[in-house]
Amino acid sequence: MGHSSMLFEIDDRRILADPVWSERVSPSQLVGPKRFFVPPLALDKLPNLDAVVLSHDHYDHLDPAAIRVLDRTGMPFFCPLGVGAHLRRWGVPAVSITELSWWESARLGDDFTLVATPARHFSGRGLTSNNTLWASWCLLGPTHKVFFGGDSGPFKEGFRQIGEAWAVRFDDAGNRRCRPRVGRIHLGPDHAFAAHRLLGGGPLLPLHWGTFNLAFHAWRQPVQRLLEAAGEVPLLLPAPGQRVDVAAGPLNSQWWER
């Protein structure tokens, strides 16, 4: 759906991750980074959802306007420790919120598990920082598994532990800024491939690019580098809003060239 907003359909479950539908990722909708294109699907046109998962509380991952709309459906929210305070402040009832620390899990029905897994990042909104936890997520159905990376920097031991614990086969590792200044808290394309190997390989769908200009390099640079370095890694590169069937093999829409 753009940036890190992902709609997963796994084993008869639909899970929305990091929903951001606002025009700007900023404390104000008058200033700040503005999206390149309108959301490809309106929030009220989404199919019925089973859950929303949140990776952390940065503005480009946690959108209060989207949370308020989704809450009207009685949606359960799963988030790292501390992020639930934001949701409650925006009107989400406590009964709808499950907060997890790293390696804790929650059930979604009888046969689906959500696991909050480690990431190398930070958190904060406004003038505060690191008052809440951040996380990646393993979405574990009875047949299929997805790793949703959220935001993380190079994290060799953490990614190895996640891969060994859950044998993840579908990596959604973040793909963002490449400058040394932020290299410890975000993955660029090359670090994304390293994470992909540690997590167990399989199809890779890069996120965290192509919607907002949040970095110092050209916005197309991450995907161009990704294609150069992919080798045998099967890449999934859909256009915004395009449905992807993972079983169908690699996909390259080349939408950024248009």
Side-chain angles (χ1 to χ4, degrees), residues 45-132:
K45 299 299 182 183
L46 287 171
N48 292 332
L49 302 173
D50 294 284
V52 173
V53 298
L54 305 170
S55 64
H56 62 299
D57 68 359
H58 285 160
Y59 291 102
D60 58 326
H61 293 259
L62 184 60
D63 176 5
I67 296 297
R68 291 186 178 106
V69 171
L70 292 165
D71 178 50
R72 296 172 194 160
T73 66
M75 185 61 46
F77 294 87
F78 297 84
C79 60
L81 287 177
V83 177
H86 296 303
L87 306 188
R88 290 188 292 272
R89 188 168 65 252
W90 300 330
V92 179
V95 70
S96 297
I97 303 169
T98 300
E99 296 183 77
L100 301 177
S101 187
W102 290 349
W103 300 116
E104 290 186 336
S105 62
R107 301 286 287 181
L108 188 61
D110 296 330
D111 59 355
F112 205 100
T113 303
L114 307 175
V115 185
T117 43
R120 184 177 185 174
H121 199 54
F122 69 109
S123 65
R125 294 172 77 87
L127 299 178
T128 65
S129 62
N130 295 338
N131 290 333
T132 66

Side-chain angles (χ1 to χ4, degrees), residues 103-167:
W103 300 116
E104 290 186 336
S105 62
R107 301 286 287 181
L108 188 61
D110 296 330
D111 59 355
F112 205 100
T113 303
L114 307 175
V115 185
T117 43
R120 184 177 185 174
H121 199 54
F122 69 109
S123 65
R125 294 172 77 87
L127 299 178
T128 65
S129 62
N130 295 338
N131 290 333
T132 66
L133 190 61
W134 52 93
S136 56
W137 289 89
C138 285
L139 313 179
L140 309 175
T143 304
H144 300 96
K145 304 172 184 178
V146 170
F147 175 73
F148 173 70
D151 263 3
S152 181
F155 192 43
K156 185 175 181 180
E157 188 57 33
F159 288 135
R160 178 184 291 114
Q161 290 174 352
I162 295 167
E164 290 175 350
W166 304 114

Side-chain angles (χ1 to χ4, degrees), residues 14-31:
R14 289 195 184 104
I15 299 172
L16 185 64
D18 285 3
V20 173
W21 258 251
S22 290
E23 185 176 26
R24 298 181 186 272
V25 285
S26 167
S28 169
Q29 288 301 297
L30 300 177
V31 296

